[in-house]
């Protein structure tokens, strides 16, 4: 029976429903040993519970799996600027810029770990970005990858990175890779930087990816894709397809391509192009255009919205891209092409999807009483 319950879908309502069948079932799903197995068993297919809009949590699932609005919301303590770096594996990473700290937050119970930012990653002269993750099957420890650019005579000449482990409590050695000539030779007043506010990392296979952009007064042009290989602990800068390179950052999203591997979602007014990195028989990697998806009719956009449609976020495990206009906000599942209108849009906001196994009323992840969960939904 325990093995059967372990294989129930990881939706928030699955185990609360099972726990109401009999006391024996309730005892099984409430057992700490079962809890330690259930979440890792579904670590590759967590549901998209909702998203964070700054510090407010907005649920996206339908009843009976809809988490109460604001369930994972929080308030910042302290003064200064707090910059979200995204969520992964049930954790949230936030950069407290004035305090020079990284906050690793558990939205389920509100616990927060504060990490001092290591030297060379001040977030002011050299903007930074980061990512939090857990190793497969590990629900006790986490790691943080911090990336930034290093300056030399006003030019950003290389990308640097360090990794923090909660198991050891220390930052690892500094790693680096040169920026490509196109990026490092940018105009002095507009050097290449990692876009710390609008670019959130994406995990594809065993690598983390960020978009590199040249910030200028006129536009934010894409310079490349930064890759951090978690297994080899190496950095690399990957060029984007030449056909779409000279476009604004808000039109691009790194993603997992169809069939696996690195992909790009490129938004071009009424349509979206899905690109994939492929390797030929000689081991040479290149970009190949896959599908082109028409967006204007399924989303029922008016002419003004079609001109202002941009990318607002991406859920890596569910392969869902968030698209927004000044007045509306949509979720698009890229495999099935199912569209869902979520809410009105704040056109200045980047949404941070929260994908995780959450079970109310069983003791897993600090869930509340099961009866209360069903009343609220």
């Amino acid at each position: 029976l325990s093995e059967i319950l372990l294989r129930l879908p990881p939706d928030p309502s699955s185990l609360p429903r099972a726990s109401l069948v009999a006391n024996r079932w309730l005892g099984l799903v409430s057992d700490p040993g079962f809890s330690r197995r259930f979440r890792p068993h579904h670590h590759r297919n967590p549901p998209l519970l909702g998203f964070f809009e700054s510090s407010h949590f907005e649920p996206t699932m339908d009843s009976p799996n809809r988490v109460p609005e604001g369930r994972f919301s929080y308030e910042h303590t302290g003064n200064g600027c707090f910059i979200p770096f995204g969520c992964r594996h049930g954790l949230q990473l936030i950069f407290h810029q004035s305090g020079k700290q990284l906050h690793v937050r558990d939205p389920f119970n509100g616990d927060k770990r504060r990490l001092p930012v290591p030297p060379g990653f001040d977030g002011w002269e050299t903007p930074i970005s980061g990512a939090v993750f857990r190793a497969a099957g590990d629900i006790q420890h986490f790691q943080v990858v911090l990336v930034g650019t290093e300056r030399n005579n006003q030019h950003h000449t290389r990308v640097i990175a360090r990794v923090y482990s909660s198991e050891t409590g220390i930052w690892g050695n500094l790693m680096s890779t040169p920026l490509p000539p196109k990026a490092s030779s940018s105009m002095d007043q507009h050097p290449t930087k990692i876009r710390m506010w609008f670019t959130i990392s994406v995990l594809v296979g065993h690598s983390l990816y960020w978009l590199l952009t040249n910030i200028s007064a006129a536009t934010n042009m894409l310079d490349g894709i930064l890759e951090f290989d978690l297994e080899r602990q190496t950095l690399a800068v990957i060029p984007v397809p030449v056909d779409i390179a000279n476009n604004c950052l808000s039109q691009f999203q790194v993603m997992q391509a169809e069939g696996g591997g690195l992909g790009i979602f490129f938004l071009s007014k009424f349509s979206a192009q899905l690109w994939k990195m492929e390797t030929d028989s000689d081991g040479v990697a290149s970009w190949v255009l896959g599908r082109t998806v028409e967006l204007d009719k399924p989303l029922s956009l008016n002419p003004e919205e079609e001109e202002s449609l941009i990318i607002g976020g991406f859920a890596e495990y569910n392969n869902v891209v968030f698209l927004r206009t000044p007045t509306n906000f949509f979720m698009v599942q890229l495999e099935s092409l199912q569209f869902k209108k979520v809410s009105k849009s704040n056109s200045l906001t980047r949404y941070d999807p929260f994908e995780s196994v959450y079970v109310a009323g069983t003791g897993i992840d600090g869930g509340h009483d099961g009866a209360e969960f069903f009343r609220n939904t």
Side-chain angles (χ1 to χ4, degrees), residues 28-220:
L28 285 173
V29 301
S30 301
D31 181 80
F34 181 86
S35 302
R36 286 191 294 268
R37 296 175 61 205
F38 188 79
R39 189 170 174 179
H41 184 80
H42 296 284
H43 77 279
R44 295 186 182 277
N45 63 325
L48 175 56
L49 300 177
F51 60 88
F52 286 96
E53 184 178 353
S54 185
S55 61
H56 175 73
F57 176 77
E58 182 74 24
T60 55
M61 300 187 76
D62 297 325
S63 180
N65 294 304
R66 189 176 181 84
V67 177
E69 185 174 352
R71 172 68 178 88
F72 306 128
S73 299
Y74 62 98
E75 293 184 3
H76 292 298
T77 57
N79 300 320
C81 182
F82 293 85
I83 302 173
F85 280 169
C87 305
R88 183 173 293 108
H89 300 160
L91 297 173
Q92 186 178 24
L93 184 62
I94 304 164
F95 175 43
H96 184 194
Q97 190 170 25
S98 57
K100 294 186 178 181
Q101 289 183 334
L102 290 168
H103 296 177
V104 180
R105 178 177 177 268
D106 185 335
F108 298 115
N109 56 30
D111 288 348
K112 186 184 296 182
R113 179 84 66 90
R114 291 175 170 85
L115 314 179
V117 174
F121 297 84
D122 56 29
W124 294 99
E125 293 295 325
T126 56
I128 64 175
S129 189
V132 62
F133 68 97
R134 298 183 193 267
D138 188 350
I139 61 175
Q140 300 296 325
H141 305 105
F142 64 85
Q143 297 182 62
V144 172
V145 177
L146 191 61
V147 293
T149 54
E150 192 173 73
R151 295 179 62 172
N152 181 17
N153 297 326
Q154 299 301 314
H155 287 285
H156 289 242
T157 58
R158 65 174 186 165
V159 180
I160 56 176
R162 294 183 72 174
V163 180
Y164 174 87
S165 169
S166 67
E167 188 172 9
T168 62
I170 61 174
W171 288 95
N173 295 329
L174 185 72
M175 293 164 277
S176 67
T177 190
L179 282 167
K182 173 180 178 292
S184 58
S185 62
S186 300
M187 294 183 296
D188 289 350
Q189 65 268 33
H190 305 309
T192 296
K193 301 178 182 179
I194 291 177
R195 183 70 171 183
M196 61 178 179
W197 181 259
F198 290 105
T199 295
I200 302 295
S201 66
V202 173
L203 179 65
V204 178
H206 53 75
S207 293
L208 289 163
Y209 295 93
W210 293 262
L211 295 177
L212 283 168
T213 180
N214 181 16
I215 301 176
S216 68
T219 185
N220 299 327

Side-chain angles (χ1 to χ4, degrees), residues 258 273-276 288-292:
E258 294 179 332
Q273 297 177 2
L274 304 182
W275 291 76
K276 179 178 181 178
V288 176
L289 176 60
R291 288 189 297 156
T292 297

Side-chain angles (χ1 to χ4, degrees), residues 313-371:
F314 183 72
E316 58 193 29
Y317 282 100
N318 288 269
N319 209 20
V320 171
V321 63
F322 292 179
L323 302 176
R324 59 181 171 88
T325 71
T327 57
N328 287 302
F329 172 40
F330 305 90
M331 298 193 326
V332 183
Q333 211 291 323
L334 295 179
E335 294 171 358
S336 64
L337 294 182
Q338 290 184 324
F339 294 78
K340 182 178 182 180
K341 186 175 181 180
V342 180
S343 64
K344 295 294 183 181
S345 169
N346 179 348
S347 59
L348 300 178
T349 297
R350 174 81 187 193
Y351 304 101
D352 296 327
F354 185 45
E355 304 169 282
S356 187
V357 177
Y358 169 70
V359 184
T362 63
I364 300 178
D365 297 327
H368 45 70
D369 178 73

